[in-house]
Every structure is written in structure tokens, then in C-alpha cells.
């Protein structure tokens, strides 16, 4: 079943302790789309400026991603993010963010996009996320991501969004910021009380925690030695998870757990190089192989 994603489409400059890359393909919706495309049809909605290399659009199309909703603003500049990782490769600081054309983005979904049964509101302002949610005709599953910037600056809109979506994906520090509770188990349960039916707290190299009314569990990350650039790992996790749910076309507890595992497996590949460089080299079979190893690792 088709999966619609709306979020940032970016040019990222990334500094790690050993290497740097300037203005590479990035953005929450890009990582999400690419990861989800291994499982289901993906429709991307986003905005870029004149500085956007056409080659990036071709990279997405080569994986069958529908880019008809990618708007190019003449004379505009693409969203730009610059970040630096600390030696532990888990924590990072944002050095620059220029929203550029993404700051004024008011998407008008096409008739086809409005019918998408699966919706992911990738990282972006809650106001933008709400406006998209309102345009989609009764999605079967609507899930959102958020980040510290929006928790502090658009809290009321975020709370409104939480009352209207099925699932929320956020990282551990964001869950603590949102609930003002240091204990992640309590934080996850408190986010549930804000509206969503399920909540996933991403914990970087430590995997992910799942919360619903009926169950709480933790899945570890796939252990990988080769961490070159963790940028986009969270979005790839969400892409793998939602892509699998859209493929299966259900969200029963068992399917959800397997979807989280696929998210973890896709993310484990994404960190093995900068931008989409590793993902562009792998196929669904590679994901299945690593999934088997992951399942074996967890059975005892
Ligand atoms: P992740 O590592 O999964 O948190 O995602 C990193 C991606 O998020 C980068 O490619 C950035 O371009 C993008 N990003 C950073 N800040 C923002 C923001 N304020 N809004 C939307 N996307 C952002």
C-alpha cells in the first residue's frame, strides 16, 4: 500500500571525528523515503531550491520513489543543516540550520497523495505536519516524528498533533524534554497519555523502546563496528518500520514488532557510510540476510 512522507529535504554538511562531507544529500524525508522504498511504494512531498542537484532526484527515482510532490522553488535555497559528531559518534551538535525554502513550505497535496492510506510526518514543524494531516483523507495509519526545536518552540501545535496521530517516533532526549521525566519507561507512558496509540523511543546505538496500552518492550540495535556517519539513522529506522507496515498492510502487535526490527536493520546499514552512500549499494536481500542474523541473535 502506498506510503506518503512529508518532511525536510536537505543538503547536509557533516563533520565526524575523522572525516567531513560538504552539502551531501540529506533531510528527514529523504532518509525515510529511501529506507521505506525497500518495502513499499513511497510518495515524497517536500521542497527544494534552485541549488538542488537533479542527480539527487534521479537517485530517488532509481528506487521507484514518486518525486512528483517534490517542489522546486525558483531562486530559492534548499534547507541546509550542518552538524558535528562527538567522538562517541552518538551525540552531535548542530552547527548551522538554514530552513530556507522549507521555512515557508505550505504543501498542497495532489488528489492522489490525499488518498494515501499510510502517512509519515517526518521531522518538520508541527504546524506543517498538522496542515498535511488535514489534507489526507482518513489515513489508516498516521505516524509522526519530532525534535527538540519543535518541542520547545511549537509545543501547543505539537500537543494538538499528538491528539490526532496513531504513532509517534522520537529519540530519548526528546522524550525526556517533552515529558520532563528522566526515566524513559515513564516518559514513554506519559507520551501515550498525550494521544498516540503507540510510541517508539529511539535510543541511537542502544536500539528502540516500544510503548502501547498493552505492551512495552525494548529491541537492541544491530551491533555494527562500522559507524561512519549516524546522520539519518532515526529517519531510516522510521522508514524501515513504516515501509514494512505499509507492505504488510496491517499494524497488529506482531507486525509492529517485526516492523521495528526491520527499522533497526535498515538503520544499521545507513550508518555505515555518509548520506545514502551505503544504502544505494544494498538490496532487499541484504536486509533479509541481516534480519536473519538479528533474529538469531535475539533467540535464546
Ligand atoms: P536524524 O539523524 O535521523 O535525526 O536526521 C538527520 C536529518 O535531519 C539531517 O539530514 C537533517 O537535514 C535533518 N534535520 C536537521 N534539523 C532539522 C529540522 N529542524 N527540521 C527538519 N529536518 C532537520
Amino acid at each position: 500500500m502506498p506510503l506518503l512522507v512529508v518532511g525536510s529535504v536537505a543538503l547536509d554538511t557533516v563533520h565526524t571525528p575523522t572525516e567531513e562531507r560538504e552539502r551531501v544529500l540529506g533531510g528527514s524525508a529523504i532518509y525515510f523515503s529511501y529506507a521505506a522504498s525497500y518495502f513499499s511504494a513511497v510518495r515524497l512531498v517536500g521542497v527544494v531550491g534552485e541549488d538542488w542537484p537533479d542527480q539527487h532526484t534521479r537517485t530517488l527515482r532509481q528506487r521507484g520513489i514518486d518525486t512528483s510532490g517534490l517542489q522546486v522553488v525558483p531562486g530559492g535555497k534548499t534547507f541546509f543543516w550542518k552538524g558535528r559528531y562527538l567522538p562517541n559518534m552518538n551525540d552531535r551538535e548542530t552547527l548551522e540550520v538554514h530552513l530556507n525554502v522549507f521555512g515557508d513550505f505550505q504543501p498542497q497535496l495532489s488528489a492522489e497523495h490525499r488518498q494515501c492510506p499510510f502517512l509519515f510526518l517526518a521531522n518538520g514543524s508541527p504546524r506543517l505536519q498538522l496542515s498535511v494531516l488535514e489534507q489526507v483523507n482518513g489515513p489508516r495509519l498516521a505516524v509522526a516524528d519530532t525534535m527538540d526545536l519543535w518541542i520547545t518552540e511549537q509545543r501547543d501545535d505539537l500537543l494538538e498533533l499528538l491528539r490526532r496521530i496513531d504513532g509517534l517516533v522520537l529519540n530519548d532526549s526528546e522524550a525526556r524534554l517533552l515529558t520532563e521525566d528522566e526515566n524513559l519507561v515513564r516518559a514513554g507512558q506519559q507520551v501515550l497519555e498525550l494521544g498516540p496509540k503507540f510510541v517508539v523511543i529511539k535510543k541511537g546505538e542502544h536500539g528502540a523502546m516500544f510503548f502501547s496500552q498493552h505492551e512495552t518492550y525494548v529491541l537492541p540495535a544491530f551491533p555494527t563496528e562500522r559507524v561512519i556517519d549516524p546522520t539519518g539513522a532515526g529517519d531510516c529506522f522510521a522508514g524501515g518500520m513504516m515501509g514494512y507496515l505499509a507492505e504488510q498492510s496491517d499494524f497488529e502487535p506482531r507486525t509492529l514488532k517485526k516492523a521495528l526490527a526491520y527499522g533497526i536493520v535498515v538503520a544499521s546499514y545507513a550508518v555505515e557510510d555518509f548520506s545514502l552512500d551505503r544504502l544505494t549499494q544494498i538490496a532487499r536481500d541484504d536486509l533479509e540476510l541481516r534480519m536473519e542474523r538479528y533474529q538469531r541473535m535475539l533467540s535464546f
Side-chain angles (χ1 to χ4, degrees):
M1 287 218 162
L3 166 57
L4 183 76
V5 55
V6 185
S8 62
V9 176
L11 296 173
D12 290 342
T13 290
V14 182
H15 292 201
T16 72
T18 50
E19 278 180 275
E20 296 173 11
R21 289 286 189 284
E22 300 279 326
R23 295 175 70 77
V24 293
L25 173 58
S28 56
I30 293 297
Y31 282 110
F32 179 93
S33 303
Y34 210 86
S37 72
Y38 292 100
F39 304 92
S40 67
V42 181
R43 296 179 179 157
L44 166 70
V45 172
V47 66
V48 291
E50 241 174 39
D51 53 353
W52 176 253
D54 285 341
Q55 179 53 41
H56 290 342
T57 308
R58 285 196 288 275
T59 300
L60 301 171
R61 289 206 183 126
Q62 272 159 11
R63 276 225 49 88
I65 297 167
D66 165 20
T67 57
S68 63
L70 185 63
Q71 191 191 326
V72 184
V73 178
K77 279 183 159 182
T78 303
F79 175 93
F80 174 76
W81 175 80
K82 179 175 179 179
R84 176 168 55 211
Y85 285 88
L86 304 184
N88 67 16
M89 290 298 270
N90 216 21
D91 299 318
R92 71 177 177 213
E93 51 181 339
T94 292
L95 303 175
E96 284 178 50
V97 189
H98 301 281
L99 292 178
N100 296 333
V101 290
F102 189 53
D104 308 313
F105 185 38
Q106 291 179 336
Q108 293 301 317
L109 301 190
S110 68
E112 194 191 16
H113 287 167
R114 284 170 196 257
Q115 300 305 328
C116 268
F118 286 78
L119 172 65
F120 188 73
L121 302 162
N123 200 354
S125 81
R127 258 169 238 154
L128 168 77
Q129 292 173 314
L130 276 166
S131 102
V132 171
L133 185 61
E134 272 157 18
Q135 293 178 54
V136 178
N137 293 329
R140 282 185 58 203
L141 186 74
V143 178
D145 193 349
T146 194
M147 69 177 294
D148 47 3
L149 179 73
W150 314 120
I151 296 172
T152 47
E153 291 190 5
Q154 291 187 19
R155 197 179 175 90
D156 289 346
D157 291 307
L158 179 62
L159 291 177
E160 162 80 18
L161 179 78
L162 293 184
R163 286 192 283 274
R164 297 172 55 180
I165 51 173
D166 300 297
L168 180 71
V169 177
L170 75 178
N171 73 28
D172 45 2
S173 61
E174 293 155 357
R176 291 188 173 108
L177 183 67
L178 180 60
T179 60
E180 293 173 358
D181 198 325
E182 283 298 306
N183 179 298
L184 281 184
V185 180
R186 280 199 305 258
Q189 277 150 3
Q190 283 182 47
V191 183
L192 278 182
E193 283 166 24
L194 297 173
K197 294 183 198 72
F198 71 87
V199 175
V200 180
I201 300 184
K202 299 170 283 180
K203 302 199 302 160
E205 60 177 339
H206 301 297
M209 294 174 85
F210 177 89
F211 299 87
S212 72
Q213 203 193 340
H214 307 290
E215 56 180 351
T216 298
Y217 56 82
V218 186
L219 287 180
F222 183 84
T224 168
E225 293 163 41
R226 199 182 141 82
V227 181
I228 303 295
D229 171 21
T231 308
D235 305 307
C236 287
F237 164 81
M241 179 187 95
M242 286 292 287
Y244 182 72
L245 291 174
E247 180 189 55
Q248 299 301 308
S249 190
D250 89 62
F251 22 92
E252 294 304 313
R254 259 181 76 84
T255 318
L256 265 166
K257 197 179 239 177
K258 203 158 174 193
L260 254 73
Y262 272 110
I264 283 167
V265 165
V266 185
S268 77
Y269 274 110
V271 302
E272 290 182 348
D273 209 337
F274 284 90
S275 186
L276 295 178
D277 292 358
R278 183 70 178 118
L279 289 185
T280 51
Q281 295 170 344
I282 64 161
R284 176 76 182 251
D285 285 352
D286 299 292
L287 295 175
E288 295 302 341
L289 273 177
R290 199 168 272 193
M291 183 67 166
E292 278 169 31
R293 286 177 59 198
Y294 185 63
Q295 273 179 316
R296 272 203 305 277
M297 188 186 98
L298 289 185
S299 69
F300 54 85

